């Protein structure tokens, strides 16, 4: 028996002993109460009361009351939000049915009883959305952000080997997914399939995913969804607090650490600060039977924030840095066409070397800087004006295997600067109708740093964007809330390039787009709601889709753009059901979606090409009309006592209307079933959770014939487990976690992995995490 299975056997033995010793947990408790305005003691209808740990919530009625039934005993974080009020969070210990009143303020004064005060990131009345809290992110410690988000139904991963991953939401990825980093749209050369988001997940303790089109509020690139790393409010209480995290990773023989320290300035009321830093390093990953050579990674990040919140509003400055160096699978770079076809046919990488921490060419080095200045001013009783400025500098170097000892010379050297400005006026019209007016602007410049000795894959360019939007919320009776909005946005791209004949060319592209959206939230009961959304969305083509010409070494492919591409427009609809029947024993979250895409742009494989740098597959950017539809969901059933069953699934279908065949590179159907054991109290420990999961990813049988270089990979099964537990140590808290993936060490390939042509995916893995929180940070 291998050491891994001996360890798992011992772990299961301890778990079984704890189960026998534990008392059964009955989930029949009720949390109820009112939400009222702390200023005038008036009840607040249509306030949302949300429990992130169990993903359940309720909407207050006209009397301001709410009720959540079928809860287990334990400690819950309760988040209460209402537009026009300061959102609040509070931890509630539930040992018996409890009635609690929550008071929300329009003026930011001392909120004694409250542990955390935050901004609400968005409203999105009709859109499906889910979030990862601090504990959920802890379970994904050691993974990249995209893999961390993949536990959300409908979210999958587009990868390029074991080191690069991008989130895909309901079949859409890349420039169709907008990332908001601390409230600023992330701009970091995200056009590349192998350009992972340069975001440090440890800089936030909550990530929200909005599924579906959100162009009205966020503009271009939100055609498929939005990933929001939530800004964490600065502390207001005196005294230091913070946390320290450490993790160890088996596959890659690496680990990481992070730390955070925060406090308030006693002499200046409302003034707080926070500093944070993290690092992670791993060596070559391993697949069953061999090392995935040159797949090591090193990254480091840090951030600092200072801000003040008073009765008039708030002001804040924020800076972050994130740097990453990663290796590209050496076997993805091949010398001639025969070897390329042989590598695809044999099923094993042609290049295999012993494990090492060294990172050689091909490799990437990226550094990303973000500066944000935000000012919010409260006007009258409920209105407020927010202005945000962001500056980003993204420095990317990519290194190829070059002859004559020149592999240390950059093959691609891009420097991207982006200025963003947002002004939003949140307002009330009377006592019920409320919404926001906003204007956004982006000024971006991309520059190829000289000295590569290679014709640039991407030309120099300047992109200017300006947009205006309006979004209004209209309550329709006690249980309905309507959201309507519209947006107008213009984009101008000025390109600077030399053509193949050496002539200097300065083409200009201008695009004018608009979007409209209607959302409806129908609260059928305190535990059941339906969200409906009808919206249009857009995105102009990126410069990479217009003018790419040459080898993109990171994806080991030659990519060819089309300057004649026009804006992509989408017409999308979705229905989201959230329910907790049988007194809360069953929790359901189901989302059905469908959309028509006019001018859907994607990379299509078109053949092979031999260059002086080797043989590579060729991909062309093309546009077509397409239909996408699907269903994703989460089911959680509380079986008996501490036992629960959980199922997550997602299905996406894509149809190319132009060629009348299945759309290329759609995710496979997948389902993950889990057995969950939870105990709120276990001796001196608490919040113990043990999970065993079984995931099936089915072979993609709906794909265009004679297009890809190899047939879709076979169906595969992955066994996983996770255990976490925490202990209070006075005012401090210690949390331990262990997560295992692919425990049977199955050999598999995924259709969304661009390197599936050359090697299997990562084998068995274990990640151990430790988090120590001190002060009031938890």
């Amino acid at each position: 028996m291998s050491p891994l299975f001996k360890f798992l056997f011992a772990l299961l033995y301890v778990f079984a002993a704890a189960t026998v010793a534990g008392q059964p947990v009955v989930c029949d408790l009720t949390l109820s109460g009112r939400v009222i305005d702390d200023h005038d003691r008036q009840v607040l209808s249509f306030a949302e009361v949300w429990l992130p740990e169990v993903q359940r919530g309720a909407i207050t009625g006209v009397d301001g009351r709410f009720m959540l039934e079928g809860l287990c005993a334990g400690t819950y974080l309760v988040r209460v939000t209402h537009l026009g009020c300061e959102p609040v969070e509070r931890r509630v210990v539930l040992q018996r049915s409890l009635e609690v009143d929550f008071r929300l303020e329009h003026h930011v004064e001392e909120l004694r009883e409250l542990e955390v005060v935050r901004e609400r990131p968005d409203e999105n009345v009709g859109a499906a959305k889910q979030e990862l809290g601090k504990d959920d992110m802890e379970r994904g410690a050691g993974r990249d952000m995209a893999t961390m988000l993949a536990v959300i139904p409908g979210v999958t991963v587009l990868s390029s080997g074991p080191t690069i991953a991008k989130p895909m939401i309901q079949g859409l990825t890349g420039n169709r997914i907008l990332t908001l980093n601390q409230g600023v749209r992330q701009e970091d050369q995200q056009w590349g399939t192998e350009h992972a988001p340069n975001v440090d997940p440890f800089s936030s303790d909550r990530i929200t995913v909005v599924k579906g089109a959100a162009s009205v509020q966020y503009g271009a690139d939100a055609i498929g969804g939005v990933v929001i790393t939530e800004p964490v409010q600065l502390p207001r209480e005196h005294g230091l607090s913070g946390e320290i995290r450490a993790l160890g990773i088996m596959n890659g023989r690496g680990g990481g650490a992070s730390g955070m320290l925060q406090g308030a300035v006693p002499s200046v009321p409302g003034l707080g600060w926070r500093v944070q830093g993290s690092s992670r390093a791993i060596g070559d990953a391993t697949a069953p039977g061999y090392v995935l050579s040159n797949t090591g990674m090193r990254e480091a990040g840090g951030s600092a924030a200072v801000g003040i919140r008073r009765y008039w509003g708030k002001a804040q400055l924020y800076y972050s840095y994130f740097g990453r160096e990663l290796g590209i699978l050496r076997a993805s770079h091949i010398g001639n066409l025969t070897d390329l076809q042989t590598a695809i046919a044999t099923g094993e990488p042609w290049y295999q070397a012993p494990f090492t921490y060294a990172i050689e060419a091909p490799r990437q080095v990226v550094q990303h800087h973000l500066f944000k200045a935000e000012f919010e001013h409260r006007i009258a009783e409920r209105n407020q004006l927010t202005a945000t400025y962001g500056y980003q500098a993204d420095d990317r170097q990519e290194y190829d295997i070059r002859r004559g000892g020149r592999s240390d010379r950059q093959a691609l050297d891009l420097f991207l600067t982006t200025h963003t400005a947002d002004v939003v006026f949140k307002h009330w019209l009377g006592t019920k109708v409320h919404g926001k007016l906003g204007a956004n602007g982006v000024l971006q410049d991309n520059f190829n740093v000289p000295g590569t000795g290679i014709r640039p894959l991407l030309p120099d360019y300047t992109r200017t964007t300006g947009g205006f939007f309006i979004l209004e919320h209209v309550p329709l009776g006690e249980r309905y809330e309507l959201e309507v909005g519209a947006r107008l946005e213009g984009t101008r791209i000025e390109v600077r390039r030399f053509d193949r004949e050496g002539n200097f060319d300065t083409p200009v592209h201008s695009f004018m787009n608009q979007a409209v959206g209607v959302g409806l939230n129908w609260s059928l009961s305190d535990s059941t709601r339906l969200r409906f959304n009808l919206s249009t969305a857009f995105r102009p083509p990126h410069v990479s889709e217009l003018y790419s010409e040459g080898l993109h070494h990171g994806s080991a492919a030659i990519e060819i753009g089309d300057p004649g591409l026009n804006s992509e427009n989408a017409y999308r609809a979705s229905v989201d059901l959230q329910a907790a029947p049988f007194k809360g024993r069953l929790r359901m979250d189901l989302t059905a979606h469908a959309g028509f895409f006019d001018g859907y742009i994607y990379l299509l494989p078109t053949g092979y090409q031999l260059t002086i740098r080797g043989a590579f597959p060729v991909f062309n950017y093309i546009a077509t009309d397409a239909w996408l539809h699907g269903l994703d969901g989460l089911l959680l059933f509380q079986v008996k006592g501490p036992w629960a069953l959980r199922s997550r699934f997602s299905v996406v279908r894509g149809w190319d209307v132009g060629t009348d065949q299945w759309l290329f590179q759609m995710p496979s159907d997948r389902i993950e079933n889990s057995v969950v054991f939870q105990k709120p109290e276990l001796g001196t420990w608490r919040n113990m959770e043990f999970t065993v999961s079984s995931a099936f990813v089915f072979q993609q049988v709906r794909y265009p014939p004679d297009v890809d270089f190899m047939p879709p990979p076979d169906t595969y099964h992955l066994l996983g487990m996770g255990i976490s537990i925490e202990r209070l140590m006075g005012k401090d808290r210690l949390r331990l976690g262990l997560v295992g993936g692919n425990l049977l060490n199955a050999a598999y390939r995924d259709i969304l992995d661009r390197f599936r042509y050359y090697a299997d995916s990562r084998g068995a893995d274990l990640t151990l995490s430790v988090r120590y929180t001190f002060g009031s940070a938890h």
Side-chain angles (χ1 to χ4, degrees):
M1 183 180 293
S2 69
L4 173 62
F5 284 97
K6 289 181 180 179
F7 170 79
L8 291 176
F9 180 80
L11 187 64
L12 290 171
Y13 178 82
V14 174
F15 164 71
T19 304
V20 173
Q23 297 297 319
V25 178
V26 180
C27 299
D28 60 354
L29 302 182
T30 299
L31 177 64
S32 59
R34 297 181 305 160
V35 179
I36 60 179
D37 189 327
D38 195 47
H39 181 65
D40 56 15
R41 300 299 189 270
Q42 295 293 316
V43 298
L44 296 176
S45 57
F46 293 103
E48 182 179 55
V49 182
W50 185 251
L51 279 61
E53 287 94 342
V54 294
Q55 292 283 301
R56 288 186 55 190
I59 303 295
T60 57
V62 293
D63 57 356
R65 299 196 65 85
F66 70 91
M67 179 178 292
L68 289 162
E69 299 178 310
L71 297 174
C72 303
T75 301
Y76 294 92
L77 178 68
V78 183
R79 181 177 303 130
V80 185
T81 56
H82 188 271
L83 191 64
C85 297
E86 191 74 15
V88 299
E89 291 184 350
R90 180 176 179 179
R91 288 199 177 272
V92 173
V93 179
L94 198 65
Q95 298 295 346
R96 56 182 175 79
S97 294
L98 190 64
E99 183 165 337
V100 181
D101 286 349
F102 293 90
R103 298 180 179 181
L104 274 64
E105 293 189 303
H106 294 113
H107 296 296
V108 187
E109 299 169 353
E110 289 298 326
L111 302 178
R112 294 174 179 89
E113 304 185 12
L114 300 179
E115 294 187 349
V116 184
V117 183
R118 300 179 191 267
E119 292 297 328
R120 189 178 184 183
D122 56 79
E123 285 74 43
N124 293 302
V125 164
K129 58 182 179 180
Q130 284 186 278
E131 70 175 43
L132 294 182
K134 179 181 289 189
D135 292 343
D136 297 312
M137 295 173 66
E138 195 74 31
R139 297 184 188 99
R143 306 177 186 178
D144 53 77
M145 187 177 73
T147 307
M148 191 181 294
L149 294 175
V151 300
I152 296 176
V155 180
T156 48
V157 176
L158 177 68
S159 61
S160 296
T163 54
I164 304 172
K166 305 185 68 164
M168 174 181 280
I169 301 177
Q170 295 175 340
L172 300 173
T173 187
N175 289 318
R176 300 182 183 91
I177 304 299
L178 174 65
T179 298
L180 283 182
N181 185 10
Q182 304 298 319
V184 177
R185 58 185 300 130
Q186 181 83 356
E187 296 287 348
D188 56 0
Q189 306 283 8
Q190 64 268 25
W191 51 270
T193 56
E194 86 305 348
H195 295 174
N198 295 314
V199 177
D200 182 5
F202 291 114
S203 64
S204 177
D205 62 3
R206 181 158 50 102
I207 303 177
T208 299
V209 174
V210 179
K211 296 186 285 187
S215 287
V216 169
Q217 182 166 345
Y218 301 111
D221 297 346
I223 197 169
V226 187
V227 176
I228 306 170
T229 62
E230 309 289 5
V232 182
Q233 282 287 6
L234 298 174
R236 304 174 62 202
E237 298 180 358
H238 300 162
L240 294 177
S241 61
E243 66 181 22
I244 299 172
R245 305 188 197 192
L247 59 93
I249 305 169
M250 184 186 76
N251 195 324
R253 308 179 197 178
S258 70
M260 184 271 290
L261 187 66
Q262 63 183 5
V265 179
S267 59
V268 183
L271 182 63
W273 58 270
R274 174 182 292 109
V275 292
Q276 171 267 337
S278 66
S279 65
R280 187 163 61 112
I282 58 175
D284 289 337
T286 57
Y290 51 82
V291 174
L292 298 170
S293 297
N294 200 49
T295 55
M297 184 271 297
R298 292 187 287 267
E299 65 182 27
S303 65
V306 60
I308 187 170
R309 288 187 296 133
R310 300 294 299 275
Y311 65 92
W312 45 262
K314 71 174 184 179
Q316 182 173 318
L317 298 176
Y318 175 87
Y319 169 79
S320 69
Y321 165 83
F322 185 75
R324 174 189 286 142
E325 180 182 17
L326 54 88
I328 305 296
L329 179 70
R330 178 65 180 86
S332 65
H333 284 237
I334 295 175
N336 57 67
L337 292 175
T338 301
D339 289 345
L340 174 59
Q341 294 165 348
T342 301
I344 293 176
T346 58
E348 277 205 16
W350 70 271
Y351 182 90
Q352 299 180 36
F355 172 88
T356 179
Y357 290 98
I359 299 175
E360 306 290 347
R363 63 189 176 97
Q364 297 179 2
V365 179
V366 183
Q367 299 182 78
H368 188 83
H369 303 263
L370 166 65
F371 170 78
K372 182 185 79 168
E374 184 178 34
F375 178 77
E376 179 183 293
H377 179 60
R378 296 191 175 274
I379 304 171
E381 187 69 18
R382 291 185 169 185
N383 302 334
Q384 69 182 39
L385 181 68
T386 303
T388 306
Y389 166 76
Y391 170 77
Q392 296 174 74
D394 190 82
D395 192 7
R396 169 177 287 272
Q397 290 92 39
E398 300 187 3
Y399 298 82
D400 201 355
I401 300 171
R402 306 177 71 173
R403 299 177 181 179
R406 297 182 300 147
S407 295
D408 289 334
R409 185 179 180 184
Q410 299 95 322
L412 181 70
D413 195 347
L414 297 175
F415 188 74
L416 180 73
T417 59
T418 307
H419 302 265
T420 59
D422 302 85
V423 178
V424 178
F425 175 59
K426 296 182 180 180
H427 58 272
W428 282 78
L429 302 175
T431 58
K432 293 184 178 180
V433 179
H434 50 83
K436 58 176 71 173
L437 294 168
N440 320 90
V442 178
L443 175 61
Q444 185 175 81
D445 187 78
N446 182 73
F447 175 65
N448 279 277
V449 179
T452 64
I454 297 174
R455 180 179 176 84
L457 171 68
L458 208 64
D460 294 348
Y461 67 87
T462 299
R463 180 170 68 94
T464 307
T465 300
F468 303 88
F469 74 91
I470 181 172
L471 199 63
E472 299 294 336
H473 298 252
V474 184
L476 303 175
E478 180 179 350
R479 295 194 176 275
Y480 300 90
E481 184 168 3
L482 179 70
E483 177 187 81
V484 294
R487 183 183 189 89
L488 180 67
E489 182 172 295
T491 299
R492 177 182 173 88
I493 302 174
E494 302 174 9
V495 178
R496 305 177 296 276
R497 64 190 288 267
F498 287 92
D499 62 22
R500 289 289 183 180
E501 288 71 38
N503 301 313
F504 186 65
D505 190 19
T506 58
V508 175
H509 299 260
S510 296
F511 306 93
M512 182 62 69
N513 293 288
Q514 56 279 327
V516 295
V518 178
L520 178 67
N521 183 15
W522 178 15
S523 298
L524 286 78
S525 66
D526 290 338
S527 60
T528 305
R529 75 166 73 176
L530 275 171
R531 297 177 185 263
F532 302 89
N533 183 266
L534 290 171
S535 59
T536 66
F538 63 87
R539 71 174 188 94
H542 190 271
V543 174
S544 64
E545 296 165 325
L546 297 171
Y547 291 103
S548 288
E549 50 175 349
L551 175 62
H552 192 181
H553 97 279
S555 58
I558 294 171
E559 298 176 0
I560 307 298
D562 181 359
L565 293 173
N566 294 314
S567 289
E568 182 177 302
N569 291 278
Y571 308 87
R572 306 195 66 191
S574 65
V575 179
D576 182 61
L577 170 66
Q578 292 180 335
F582 307 112
K583 295 185 178 181
R585 290 186 63 190
L586 174 64
R587 185 170 70 83
M588 307 166 54
D589 191 344
L590 305 175
T591 303
H593 58 91
F596 177 76
F597 293 78
D598 180 8
Y600 179 88
I601 303 171
Y602 69 103
L603 274 172
L604 181 71
T606 55
Y608 303 95
Q609 184 174 330
L610 180 62
T611 73
I612 61 172
R613 298 158 72 186
F616 299 93
V618 179
F619 291 78
N620 283 72
Y621 284 102
I622 69 167
T624 186
D625 293 340
W627 277 103
L628 268 74
H629 63 276
L631 177 69
D632 53 73
L634 166 69
L635 301 174
L636 180 64
F637 182 66
Q638 201 73 36
V639 180
K640 183 178 181 181
W643 294 97
L645 300 176
R646 182 179 65 209
S647 181
R648 301 185 180 111
F649 65 90
S650 65
V651 175
V652 177
R653 300 287 183 265
W655 185 257
D656 187 331
V657 177
T659 60
D660 197 28
Q661 60 186 1
W662 295 108
L663 197 61
F664 177 66
Q665 208 170 44
M666 287 290 102
S668 301
D669 298 346
R670 60 197 64 215
I671 184 169
E672 180 195 77
N673 297 310
S674 304
V675 178
V676 183
F677 175 86
Q678 294 176 316
K679 283 193 70 65
E681 304 290 339
L682 190 64
T684 58
W685 297 81
R686 68 173 194 172
N687 293 339
M688 183 260 197
E689 179 176 295
F690 183 86
T691 304
V692 177
S693 62
S694 171
F696 280 93
V697 179
F698 299 95
Q699 184 181 35
Q700 178 60 276
V701 296
R702 299 169 181 85
Y703 64 95
D706 304 321
V707 169
D708 204 356
F709 302 114
M710 63 184 297
D714 294 334
T715 297
Y716 63 88
H717 169 253
L718 300 178
L719 180 67
M721 57 80 68
I723 184 169
S724 62
I725 195 167
E726 63 184 37
R727 182 174 184 174
L728 291 179
M729 307 173 67
K731 294 183 178 180
D732 303 338
R733 183 171 64 170
L734 176 68
R735 179 183 174 86
L736 305 177
L738 181 68
V739 176
N742 192 9
L743 296 179
L744 300 180
N745 202 30
Y748 73 97
R749 303 188 185 195
D750 192 276
I751 195 169
L752 296 181
D753 186 352
R754 286 288 295 270
F755 289 174
R756 68 185 182 279
Y757 308 121
Y758 314 109
D760 291 336
S761 295
R762 187 193 301 268
D765 195 12
L766 285 174
T767 301
L768 174 67
S769 63
V770 180
R771 185 179 76 203
Y772 180 72
T773 308
F774 57 91
S776 58
H778 55 281

